[in-house]
Amino acid sequence: TQLLEQSPQFLSIQEGENLTVYCNSSSVFSSLQWYRQEPGEGPVLLVTVVTGGEVKKLKRLTFQFGDARKDSSLHITAAQPGDTGLYLCAGGRTNDYKLSFGAGTTVTVRA
Amino acid sequence: GAGVSQSPRYKVAKRGQDVALRCDPISGHVSLFWYQQALGQGPEFLTYFQNEAQLDKSGLPSDRFFAERPEGSVSTLKIQRTQQEDSAVYLCASSLDLGQGVDEQFFGPGTRLTVL
């Protein structure tokens, strides 16, 4: 049972289009991390957000943490084939070493 | 190498066999985690070490799963009498500090275990 629900589960778009992935929970987290995982590899951290309402931009990627720190979104502008991968959100709590992962969103960007 | 390494990368076992999966964390990292990732799912926490101490093993599915980190560096996850439901990718991660939620965890490439 995963505390974080991600949607959609799969997303296939054309190069140049925009996309948004959502991560929702009924629990409050002190931090929310987004990872990207490619086939045969472990997840790689993209960003950590810690403040409710926080927005972080990483080139064409925009991450937002909800005001109540229960949800987050990842928006990719002008997607490229290199953005293809499994995007995972993971929630953390202060003084708790565990990360709770969502099931992931598989993004495919077609050239 | 600079990253977390795991071996073997792939393991095929017959049901009932014992397997041992190895993790070499980043040198100097205090915290070490094991996760299980089933096909189409996100990683699920198995166990956590702070140096050589196993502080949490609440995620281990059964007493057939055992993990150790005797010298606070390399860790081994052992699965006894493997079952088909054990088939998954086993990920190891390490972090520099005490493994609090905001610390970055660096993941290895995983070991894909297939139990026939």
Side-chain angles (χ1 to χ4, degrees), chain A residues 1-2 9 30-31 33 35 37 40-45 48 50 86 88 91-104, chain B residues 9-10 33 35 37 40-45 48 55-56 58-59 89 91 98-110 112:
Chain A
T1 304
Q2 295 179 293
Q9 186 176 0
S30 58
S31 68
Q33 299 180 342
Y35 291 80
Q37 184 176 22
E41 300 296 328
V44 175
L45 181 67
T48 300
V50 298
L86 175 67
L88 295 159
R93 295 187 175 91
T94 303
N95 299 321
D96 184 356
Y97 37 79
K98 296 177 186 174
L99 283 177
S100 298
F101 281 86
Chain B
R9 292 293 312 275
Y10 304 91
F33 306 82
Y35 293 87
Q37 186 173 23
Q41 298 295 317
E44 294 269 5
F45 170 82
Y48 163 64
L55 298 189
D56 188 339
S58 63
V89 174
L91 294 166
L98 295 180
Q100 296 189 10
V102 296
D103 289 345
E104 179 175 3
Q105 295 185 19
F106 296 84
F107 284 82
R112 180 177 295 278

Side-chain angles (χ1 to χ4, degrees), chain B residues 21-98:
Chain B
L21 313 180
R22 177 188 170 107
C23 172
D24 285 80
I26 294 173
S27 178
H29 276 197
V30 169
S31 298
L32 186 144
F33 306 82
W34 283 97
Y35 293 87
Q36 180 189 59
Q37 186 173 23
L39 189 63
Q41 298 295 317
E44 294 269 5
F45 170 82
L46 292 177
T47 188
Y48 163 64
F49 289 86
Q50 187 182 108
N51 294 308
E52 69 278 4
Q54 187 176 21
L55 298 189
D56 188 339
K57 54 182 181 179
S58 63
L60 297 177
S62 75
D63 58 7
R64 296 185 295 104
F65 287 70
F66 172 77
E68 59 183 4
R69 193 187 185 197
E71 297 179 359
S73 178
V74 171
S75 177
T76 303
L77 176 66
K78 298 179 180 178
I79 309 173
Q80 297 176 326
R81 304 181 303 280
T82 53
Q83 303 293 316
Q84 285 187 324
E85 61 263 29
D86 300 335
S87 295
V89 174
Y90 290 86
L91 294 166
C92 175
S94 69
S95 68
L96 183 60
D97 293 326
L98 295 180

